[in-house]
């Protein structure tokens, strides 16, 4: 028997950063995002070897432990062991024996929420295998708690909910861990036009999002005036962009993307750098209308908006920069799991 799962990666369109607890606990946060046809994958093969084996195929890392109710949390695959420990302690109450293999379509530090999406995919595989009583909010909340509380990784909250729910979502974050996910019912022509207008360019620079987010948290805790104004503007742009998309106002969408990027850069110094600023200008000089770095910033994927008629010349120009160019397709479904019995 094999249990497989996958969860979609996301593009952060607007409001990213306001899903950090130090901000939303006080002001409430709004985030607009959409999932794309890039995934994190997990396969669980139950065994009778009395061991737990983790294989991260894309990171070329392996770890193996004797089956136990709690695995040491200091290994190289902390996400995997952290999820196992929480599943055992809260739900199963006994050791398991299995081999788990994971991989992702995006590199770590991509800005597409790859780490949190992997956590969601692994939880979904455990849910399928063990018949756990999880709804969508349960999976996303558990993924957040494992990352932020159990493992201690700094970060926001949108990735876990995007990967779990899938599609276009306007998310609201409030104190006492209250989250509301509002699916957007975009007309098909609006989805098609936006999909035709976006290009992703991987800068080749992987970054540790936790370090950037820690800087934002410090500014927020201190009540830094410039930072707080930027965060409020990011939240406001999420509302404006939501309305622009629902109406099919693509000029408004592009303006929001630009204003959001300007506000984002003001939230923390490490979000941009001379390399990214030059790349941004290069994209504008070659047919782009606006752009932003997806995720926390500092590197990863740049999301570029352009007139579809300018898409091919823009892609050809970006290829001169020796980076990875992708044209994403939107997905409507969140995390999924299935069982193979005849392996």
């Amino acid at each position: 028997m094999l249990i497989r799962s996958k969860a979609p990666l996301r593009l952060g369109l607007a409001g990213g950063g306001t899903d950090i607890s130090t901000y939303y606990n006080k002001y409430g946060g709004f985030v607009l995002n959409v999932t794309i046809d890039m995934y994190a994958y997990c396969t669980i093969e139950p065994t009778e070897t009395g061991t737990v084996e983790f294989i991260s195929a894309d990171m070329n890392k392996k770890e193996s432990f004797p089956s136990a109710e709690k695995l040491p949390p200091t290994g190289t695959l902390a996400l995997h062991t952290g999820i196992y420990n929480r599943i055992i302690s809260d739900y199963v109450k006994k050791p398991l024996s299995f081999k788990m293999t994971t991989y992702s379509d995006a590199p770590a530090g991509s800005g597409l929420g790859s780490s949190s999406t992997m956590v969601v995919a692994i939880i979904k595989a455990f849910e399928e295998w063990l018949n756990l009583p999880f709804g969508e909010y349960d999976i996303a909340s558990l993924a957040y708690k494992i990352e932020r509380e159990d493992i201690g990784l700094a970060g926001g909250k949108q990735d876990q909910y995007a990967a779990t729910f899938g599609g276009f979502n306007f998310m609201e974050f409030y104190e006492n861990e209250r989250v509301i996910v509002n699916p957007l019912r975009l007309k098909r022509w609006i989805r098609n036009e936006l999909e035709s207008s976006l290009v992703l360019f991987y800068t080749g620079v992987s970054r540790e999002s936790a370090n950037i987010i820690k800087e934002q948290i410090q500014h927020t805790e201190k009540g830094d005036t410039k930072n707080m104004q930027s965060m409020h503007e990011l939240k406001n742009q999420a509302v404006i962009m939501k309305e622009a998309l629902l109406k099919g106002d693509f000029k408004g969408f592009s303006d929001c993307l630009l204003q959001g990027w300007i506000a984002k850069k003001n939230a923390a110094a490490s979000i941009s750098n001379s390399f990214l600023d030059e790349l941004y200008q290069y994209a504008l000089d070659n047919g782009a209308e606006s752009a932003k770095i997806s995720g926390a910033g500092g590197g990863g994927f740049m999301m570029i908006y352009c007139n579809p008629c300018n898409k091919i010349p823009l892609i050809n120009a970006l290829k001169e920069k020796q980076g990875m160019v992708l044209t994403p397709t939107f997905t409507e479904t969140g995390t999924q799991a299935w069982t193979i019995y005849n392996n």
Side-chain angles (χ1 to χ4, degrees):
M1 181 174 69
L2 295 174
I3 299 90
R4 301 196 198 277
S5 67
K6 66 177 184 177
L9 301 171
R10 63 98 187 101
L11 293 178
L13 300 175
T18 69
D19 59 328
I20 296 172
S21 60
T22 51
Y23 181 84
Y24 68 68
N25 280 336
K26 189 171 184 179
Y27 303 104
F30 297 156
V31 172
L32 180 64
N33 57 34
V34 61
T35 51
I36 58 175
D37 60 340
M38 297 174 68
Y39 295 87
Y41 302 87
C42 176
T43 294
I44 294 177
E45 180 180 358
T47 64
E48 297 181 358
T49 60
T51 61
V52 175
E53 183 179 2
F54 296 124
I55 301 171
S56 176
D58 52 339
M59 299 174 66
N60 196 28
K61 292 181 179 179
K62 295 182 180 181
E63 280 195 308
S64 183
F65 306 90
S67 294
E69 290 191 13
K70 186 172 183 178
L71 303 180
T74 56
T76 59
L77 296 175
L79 288 178
H80 298 60
T81 55
I83 298 165
Y84 173 89
N85 287 340
R86 175 65 83 116
I87 292 292
I88 298 301
S89 66
D90 287 7
Y91 303 98
V92 182
K93 310 295 185 180
K94 64 179 181 179
L96 296 172
S97 177
F98 61 90
K99 179 172 75 171
M100 176 186 291
T101 303
T102 61
Y103 62 95
S104 176
D105 286 334
S110 64
L112 302 179
S114 55
S115 296
S116 299
T117 303
M118 181 59 74
V119 175
V120 168
I122 294 174
I123 292 174
K124 186 66 177 180
F126 275 121
E127 178 204 43
E128 173 79 5
W129 178 25
L130 305 170
N131 195 29
L132 298 175
F134 292 160
E136 292 168 323
Y137 281 96
D138 298 321
I139 292 174
S141 176
L142 180 59
Y144 177 82
K145 290 176 180 177
I146 290 171
E147 275 194 272
R148 308 294 173 241
E149 298 174 9
D150 297 357
I151 304 176
L153 295 175
K157 215 171 200 175
Q158 65 162 311
D159 300 349
Q160 296 86 352
Y161 286 84
T164 303
F165 283 82
F168 280 89
N169 289 295
F170 181 80
M171 301 179 180
E172 304 173 49
F173 303 98
Y174 300 103
E175 63 180 344
N176 300 320
E177 304 306 320
R178 187 163 67 94
V179 180
I180 303 171
V181 178
N182 305 281
L184 295 193
R185 297 180 60 185
L186 297 183
K187 293 184 180 298
R188 178 58 60 181
W189 73 267
I190 295 175
R191 292 172 59 94
N192 288 342
E193 178 67 13
L194 183 59
E195 198 172 71
S196 299
S197 304
L198 291 181
V199 174
L200 290 181
F201 180 74
Y202 183 55
T203 61
V205 179
S206 177
R207 81 287 181 275
E208 186 67 48
S209 63
N211 293 333
I212 298 171
I213 292 166
K214 285 177 182 176
E215 182 184 348
Q216 290 180 262
I217 290 172
Q218 290 171 356
H219 287 311
T220 304
E221 289 176 339
K222 293 177 181 177
D224 179 87
T225 302
K226 181 180 178 181
N227 170 266
M228 296 313 300
Q229 289 176 343
S230 299
M231 298 294 282
H232 295 334
E233 179 62 18
L234 284 168
K235 178 181 173 180
N236 184 50
Q237 288 300 323
V239 176
I240 296 173
M241 184 181 284
K242 177 189 70 171
E243 295 178 1
L245 277 180
L246 288 171
K247 295 175 180 177
D249 175 9
F250 291 99
K251 174 64 166 59
F253 173 86
S254 181
D255 289 343
C256 282
L257 207 63
L258 176 60
Q259 293 304 315
W261 175 235
I262 292 172
K264 187 80 171 177
K265 289 198 294 181
N266 288 330
S270 55
I271 286 174
S272 191
N273 51 51
S274 59
F275 170 75
L276 295 178
D277 290 340
E278 290 171 7
L279 180 61
Y280 193 104
Q281 188 59 50
Y282 179 82
L284 294 180
D285 292 342
N286 285 278
E289 295 185 12
S290 57
K292 70 180 287 288
I293 293 293
S294 185
F301 276 92
M302 178 174 284
M303 180 174 61
I304 305 171
Y305 176 82
C306 68
N307 183 318
C309 295
N310 295 331
K311 194 170 187 177
I312 297 304
L314 173 61
I315 289 173
N316 290 336
L318 290 171
K319 287 180 178 177
E320 296 294 320
K321 289 293 185 180
Q322 307 301 315
M324 181 195 306
V325 182
L326 300 174
T327 52
T329 300
F330 302 139
T331 62
E332 298 183 14
T333 305
T335 187
Q336 304 170 66
W338 60 99
T339 301
I340 308 298
Y341 291 100
N342 299 319
N343 59 295

